[in-house]
Amino acid sequence: MKDFGLMIVDKPVGPTSHHIVGMVRKGTGIRKVGHAGTLDPRASGVLVLCLGAATRLSEYLSGTSKEYEALVRFGVSTRTFDTDGEVTHRSNKSPTRREIDEILPSFRGEIEQRPPPFSAVKVRGRKAYELARAGDEPDLEPRRVQIHRLEIHSYTPPDLALLVECSAGTYIRSLAQDLGERLGTGAHLAGLRRTRAGPFRLEESTPMPMLEVGMLTGKWDRYVRPAADALPDVPAVLVEADGVEALRFGHRIPAAPGSPSQAKAVDSEGELVAILDLIDGSMWHPRKVFLS
């Protein structure tokens, strides 16, 4: 059974990302399982899981861009910026399509965004949602995020379906809240589906019921992808057995002339061995090794 690699899961609405991690850990028997970017319980779609030593790739995956299908509902604002929270404002009004078209450009590119009060952002050493649940309204500092793409898929008032491509750390709930504020109607996020996380798209993901059957029948490893897939834009360097052993112990190995500044070392079976940095134009130094 493969205990090193990636699982690209189509998370359903309902369970938390942590719950999915726990299910996979129990169902596969792999002790070390992590995710590379959380999804809210009410969101569905691409959840990237890292198995075994591949958990060390999460820092590379969690910072990648994401794509979403988002449903913004106008006329009602809530405390959590989504359907779970208590209503804080109700106008029962929806903007016109023209009004939406006029303001959308200002939400594209680099924008300043304040995280929702019910989020995992740390405030005074505690998560914001812990303070919010205790009745304290955390004062969250705005952050700069990138909205690479923001397009209207459909609009049937009060529901606006958007296609969003954004940087890591962007809160789609805050985007919905800010749209409602700018248009004077109020709004909240009524639905969210992640269609891409970094290089992994929804059509490549495994529906949770299929994965559950795989874990029950002991055939879950068919859904494990090579860890090297996490770094599609990093050049691969094939390393022979003696080089693999050298990297295992943190030793440098020779680099071919004209090598790039960084590469991923793979063995003869295509398994990820290490992430390499070029030193003095002639030697590969293992930045991160994935061998035990």
Side-chain angles (χ1 to χ4, degrees), residues 5-285:
L6 308 168
M7 276 186 180
I8 316 303
V9 179
D10 182 356
K11 186 189 95 64
V13 171
T16 64
S17 300
H18 181 72
H19 180 70
I20 299 295
V21 166
M23 288 175 61
V24 170
R25 188 179 290 137
K26 181 178 180 181
T28 62
I30 300 174
R31 185 175 58 85
K32 188 179 288 187
V33 180
H35 63 71
T38 189
L39 266 178
D40 290 341
R42 283 202 166 270
S44 67
V46 179
L47 180 68
V48 179
L49 301 184
C50 303
L51 312 181
T55 53
R56 302 185 68 201
L57 286 167
S58 60
E59 66 181 270
Y60 296 92
L61 288 166
S62 59
T64 56
S65 64
K66 312 290 191 295
E67 289 182 10
Y68 297 93
E69 295 173 353
L71 186 68
V72 177
R73 183 161 295 156
F74 292 108
V76 176
S77 298
T78 72
R79 191 168 175 234
T80 57
F81 300 177
D82 61 17
T83 56
D84 284 340
E86 64 180 281
V87 173
T88 57
H89 172 77
R90 188 187 299 274
S91 71
N92 293 325
K93 294 179 181 178
S94 297
T96 65
R97 172 63 186 260
R98 181 176 179 179
E99 289 173 324
I100 297 171
D101 286 336
E102 286 176 350
I103 70 159
L104 275 192
S106 64
F107 285 89
R108 298 186 184 112
E110 186 179 56
I111 64 169
E112 195 168 79
Q113 184 185 72
R114 193 178 298 275
F118 284 79
S119 63
V121 175
K122 289 288 187 72
V123 181
R124 302 189 300 274
R126 295 181 63 189
K127 293 179 179 177
Y129 66 77
E130 294 174 343
L131 297 171
R133 286 172 182 165
D136 183 9
E137 292 295 337
D139 184 19
L140 299 177
E141 290 295 322
R143 57 176 63 184
R144 305 297 292 184
V145 298
Q146 284 277 352
I147 306 292
H148 306 295
R149 178 187 177 204
L150 182 61
E151 297 176 3
I152 296 174
H153 181 265
S154 65
Y155 183 41
T156 306
D159 291 341
L160 173 68
L162 291 171
L163 304 177
V164 186
E165 180 182 355
C166 57
S167 62
T170 302
Y171 284 95
I172 309 301
R173 283 182 290 153
S174 293
L175 177 63
Q177 166 76 10
D178 293 344
L179 284 170
E181 267 192 14
R182 181 76 67 84
L183 290 162
T185 63
H188 65 277
L189 187 66
L192 186 66
R193 186 156 175 76
R194 185 190 282 165
T195 56
R196 182 180 63 80
F200 303 111
R201 308 198 73 86
L202 186 61
E203 50 266 31
E204 304 173 69
S205 63
T206 302
M208 199 62 209
M210 288 178 61
L211 183 54
E212 288 174 317
V213 170
M215 291 188 291
L216 286 172
T217 59
K219 298 178 179 179
W220 52 265
D221 59 340
R222 68 180 65 181
Y223 303 121
V224 179
R225 296 180 54 149
D229 288 358
L231 305 165
D233 298 327
V234 178
V237 173
L238 178 62
V239 180
E240 301 298 336
D242 56 345
V244 170
E245 282 304 302
L247 292 172
R248 183 192 301 274
F249 295 103
H251 298 157
R252 295 179 179 180
I253 61 174
S259 293
S261 60
Q262 190 173 76
K264 57 187 176 188
V266 297
D267 62 18
S268 58
E269 296 182 352
E271 290 291 348
L272 183 65
V273 174
I275 296 174
L276 307 172
D277 288 334
L278 187 66
I279 304 296
D280 297 330
S282 61
M283 299 294 289
W284 287 122
H285 173 76

